[in-house]
Amino acid sequence: MLRVHKVATVQFEPTMFDKARNIARLLELCEAAAKAGARLIVTPEMGTTGYCWFDRAEVAPFVETIPGPTTDRFMALARQYDCYIVVGLPEVDDDDIYFNSAVLVGPDGVVGWHRKSHPYISEPKWSAPGDLGHQVFDTPIGRIALLICMDIHFIETARLAALQGADVICHISNWLAERTPAPYWISRAFENGCYVIESNRWGLERTVQFSGGSCVIAPDGTVPAVIDSGDGFALAEMDLDFARARQVSGEAVFAQRRPALYAELLTNTFSWNPHDFFGLYGHKPWPVGRQSRITVAQMTPGNNVEANLNRIAVLVEQAKTQHAADLVVCPELVLSGLADPAASAQPIPGPATDRLCRLAAQLDLHLVVGLAERDGGTLYNSACLIGPDGLIARYRKIHLAEADRAWATASDTWTVADTPLGRIGLMIGHDAAFPEAGRILALRGCDIIACPSAIKGGFCSPHAGTSVTQSAPIPTGADPHHWHHYRVRAGENNVFLAFANVFDPANGYPGLSGVFGPDTFEFPRREAIITDGAEIVTAVADTSNLDSAYPTNVVRRKDLMLMRLPHHYRDLIRSERNG
């Protein structure tokens, strides 16, 4: 088998009610890509018909079976050029049920297809949720998975494909309401160490502006090929060895997963009114929450605990006096240093945490600090949550990076604590490379996730700007931090995420700490990022929402938790799928 193949993303604006024209134009674009050498060609969601259908009756003249007349035409092209093509179309099955589907055809016919499993707001007007699960199709050019638009909002879908060995996820979409390539697309490639070929439509349909930005995303989150607007295609190379390394920032993340700790992924805590759910039996009811100011601090920790404590105290006092901070989150191992954490490990509680408790009491704030912990003869990479009344919670890192494994023991316990600021979950650095971690904390009702980190670069990239006209306040101009992986972590879990990273450029730690808001599509964003050499930054977080019968605050309502479909997710907790 060849290890490197040309692939193409096709961008196209279909015309509603003109299926014949749409198919003819798609065939032209696919043939041009095939002549340019593409072995895998991906076309947009519902590209044969358009997307914004009112109801079943309106789309009924355009649905068809798979296999059917449309797949036959694309199959003939695939046979002629020995390539594989992904086509988006409205499908009808033998029971007259309609689906939004993606079909993979090759030289020998239909390889397989996917029915959109996680509907967007428009699908329930005419189609049923997909019932085929999340499959991976083995072909001579690699292992191919299919997802459709809203599917990729959910960390579980791409993860299921990657756990089955997908080299590439062909994601077809009608994406809107932000600049593209969308950060969600990039994060799904990056966290799963696989390619994503994104084919998005562009243009205006029934008042809806679609974003374009079709692209090929590599397993490291880089974007080697992209189209901003207009019909056309873009080519890139897909290296199967790159995908099959399954690494994130140099870490073998699939071998490091902890599926025995992920059982909660099969639950849906937000399917009931969360006010009622989290108050059931009077056990662990939600804190009332409030508006507060969250600060992240970044610094270069040294190897002297006393000196690190002094520096932490200066930054925390600055956060309180200059930013009126209610919560300050400091980086991973900031107390112990990165060079030899074991040598500086501290007991919890102990003299170092006692001093931090006095600092929190003096300044009347909450504080999260990372440190190496010594518990008898066992060492942990830990973080403490401290409030004005003392030590509230301790978290020991669950997902150990290779550097951690040289000295630390992994924990098997998630940590969630209720405070006047809201429900706070803790994770540390490399934990955030695992989408399962943030998801479990969100399912436990966290409003805020504090993430002390020591993460090296590669998790953020710019955008040059788009020519696609968007309605205000959606940004279209250049953005140096268009994709920030930890912003995606916040939005996909509808939480405020406080990402406090080590700043040490000489050793690869870029900082780029930030506080990110719970709604990815809210503009201007509720966030603050350290981008200019500053050491602290602050954003306002509102976690209050116990004054209504049903939550209206997105951090409490958690729309993306509610729309999950856990009956698809069983393979996420099976150890045989791990690696």
Side-chain angles (χ1 to χ4, degrees):
M1 176 192 283
L2 289 174
R3 310 302 291 178
V4 178
H5 301 282
K6 277 189 179 180
V7 298
T9 175
V10 169
Q11 186 160 286
F12 170 64
E13 180 181 20
T15 301
M16 296 189 77
F17 306 105
D18 198 347
K19 182 177 176 181
R21 175 260 178 192
N22 296 334
I23 291 172
R25 179 65 175 139
L26 282 170
L27 286 166
E28 288 178 8
L29 290 166
C30 288
E31 183 167 25
K35 286 180 176 178
R39 298 292 313 284
L40 174 59
I41 303 164
V42 184
T43 70
E45 176 185 17
M46 297 285 285
T48 64
T49 63
Y51 181 72
C52 300
W53 299 100
F54 289 149
D55 50 34
R56 273 178 55 95
E58 190 178 46
V59 76
F62 307 104
V63 299
E64 61 180 273
T65 60
I66 299 175
T70 295
T71 58
D72 287 349
R73 295 183 68 182
F74 283 92
M75 181 184 67
L77 187 68
R79 182 182 299 117
Q80 180 181 353
Y81 290 98
D82 190 29
C83 64
Y84 292 80
I85 304 171
V86 178
V87 183
L89 75 167
E91 177 197 359
V92 60
D93 72 1
D94 292 340
D95 295 318
D96 198 37
I97 304 300
Y98 298 172
F99 299 95
N100 181 341
S101 295
V103 57
L104 174 65
V105 300
D108 298 322
V110 171
V111 177
W113 67 99
H114 171 70
R115 294 166 172 166
K116 189 173 184 177
S117 57
H118 293 67
Y120 184 55
I121 190 172
S122 55
E123 267 75 33
K125 291 180 176 296
W126 64 272
S127 75
D131 56 2
L132 298 179
H134 302 86
Q135 305 172 75
V136 174
F137 305 106
D138 206 347
T139 76
I141 62 169
R143 297 188 286 261
I144 300 171
L146 309 175
L147 292 177
I148 303 176
C149 205
M150 190 73 178
D151 288 337
I152 215 164
H153 274 271
F154 301 91
I155 60 102
E156 294 87 355
T157 58
R159 198 60 145 186
L160 287 164
L163 286 169
Q164 295 175 73
D167 300 308
V168 58
I169 296 170
C170 299
H171 180 240
I172 70 173
S173 66
N174 281 199
W175 203 268
L176 61 146
E178 69 173 338
R179 242 179 330 222
T180 52
Y184 272 96
W185 308 344
I186 301 171
S187 281
R188 295 298 168 255
F190 177 72
E191 71 198 13
N192 290 298
C194 67
Y195 287 89
V196 168
I197 303 175
E198 167 61 45
S199 176
N200 188 37
R201 70 160 291 172
W202 72 286
L204 190 69
E205 186 175 281
R206 283 185 165 164
T207 76
V208 178
Q209 176 65 59
F210 296 100
S211 300
S214 302
C215 59
V216 179
I217 306 167
D220 60 359
T222 58
V223 183
V226 63
I227 307 170
D228 180 41
S229 65
D231 285 6
F233 67 90
L235 292 167
E237 289 190 337
M238 178 176 70
D239 184 337
L240 299 183
D241 291 331
F242 192 8
R244 293 180 184 180
R246 278 291 184 269
Q247 292 199 340
V248 176
S249 300
E251 297 282 342
V253 290
F254 278 62
Q256 297 166 354
R257 291 178 75 249
R258 305 286 303 280
L261 304 181
Y262 302 158
E264 287 166 71
L265 296 176
L266 301 189
T267 68
N268 196 350
T269 56
F270 284 81
S271 57
W272 291 90
N273 185 333
H275 285 340
D276 299 333
F277 179 87
F278 289 111
L280 190 63
Y281 316 130
H283 179 63
K284 295 184 178 179
W286 256 348
V288 172
R290 72 179 206 206
Q291 187 174 101
S292 60
R293 297 177 65 82
I294 300 176
T295 299
V296 289
Q298 64 181 35
M299 59 180 276
T300 307
N303 299 319
N304 182 283
V305 172
E306 186 68 20
N308 290 336
L309 273 169
N310 291 338
R311 186 63 189 145
I312 291 167
V314 169
L315 291 177
V316 173
E317 289 174 10
Q318 181 183 346
K320 183 65 176 183
T321 57
Q322 297 181 15
H323 294 225
D326 298 295
L327 169 65
V328 182
V329 182
C330 298
E332 178 178 2
L333 297 172
V334 68
L335 188 62
S336 312
L338 301 176
D340 189 2
S344 301
Q346 304 290 310
I348 302 175
T353 56
D354 288 347
R355 180 174 170 186
L356 293 171
C357 288
R358 291 193 295 272
L359 180 66
Q362 173 192 342
L363 298 175
D364 189 30
L365 50 63
H366 290 74
L367 181 61
V368 176
V369 174
L371 71 159
E373 177 194 357
R374 183 180 298 278
D375 184 3
T378 306
L379 300 177
Y380 299 96
N381 186 337
S382 297
C384 288
L385 171 61
I386 294 166
D389 297 326
L391 180 66
I392 297 171
R394 167 187 57 198
Y395 169 65
R396 293 164 170 171
K397 192 173 184 179
I398 285 175
H399 299 93
L400 299 184
E402 285 305 312
D404 297 319
R405 293 168 183 265
W407 63 274
T409 297
S411 173
D412 58 4
T413 304
W414 306 99
T415 296
V416 171
D418 288 343
T419 76
L421 312 182
R423 181 164 290 176
I424 299 177
L426 299 176
M427 59 185 180
I428 300 174
H430 192 50
D431 282 322
F434 298 81
E436 297 90 346
R439 185 63 104 218
I440 287 168
L441 295 177
L443 288 169
R444 291 191 177 191
C446 287
D447 305 299
I448 300 165
I449 295 178
C451 186
S453 297
I455 301 292
K456 294 190 176 182
F459 56 79
C460 185
S461 60
H463 195 296
T466 177
S467 63
V468 177
T469 301
Q470 297 280 6
S471 58
I474 299 170
T476 57
D479 181 355
H481 308 104
H482 168 71
W483 171 62
H484 193 303
H485 187 52
Y486 300 93
R487 178 193 294 127
V488 175
R489 282 284 178 264
E492 72 196 12
N493 292 303
N494 298 135
V495 297
F496 290 97
L497 191 142
F499 169 68
N501 198 28
V502 166
F503 181 69
D504 186 4
N507 290 301
Y509 298 98
L512 292 173
S513 303
V515 181
F516 300 103
D519 187 346
T520 304
F521 296 93
E522 180 183 41
F523 301 104
R525 291 187 170 112
R526 282 186 280 173
E527 68 179 32
I529 306 175
I530 300 179
T531 61
D532 56 3
E535 295 175 302
I536 61 173
V537 75
T538 301
V540 174
D542 185 357
T543 62
S544 62
N545 202 203
L546 294 183
D547 57 350
S548 61
Y550 190 89
T552 56
N553 183 345
V554 67
V555 77
R556 288 276 160 118
R557 191 179 68 235
K558 292 202 189 326
D559 298 329
L560 289 178
M561 299 303 101
L562 173 63
M563 291 187 282
R564 295 169 69 252
L565 296 173
H567 56 278
H568 286 299
Y569 303 159
R570 182 177 290 270
D571 279 351
L572 297 173
I573 67 168
R574 288 179 170 153
S575 58
E576 66 268 21
R577 290 291 192 191
N578 198 36

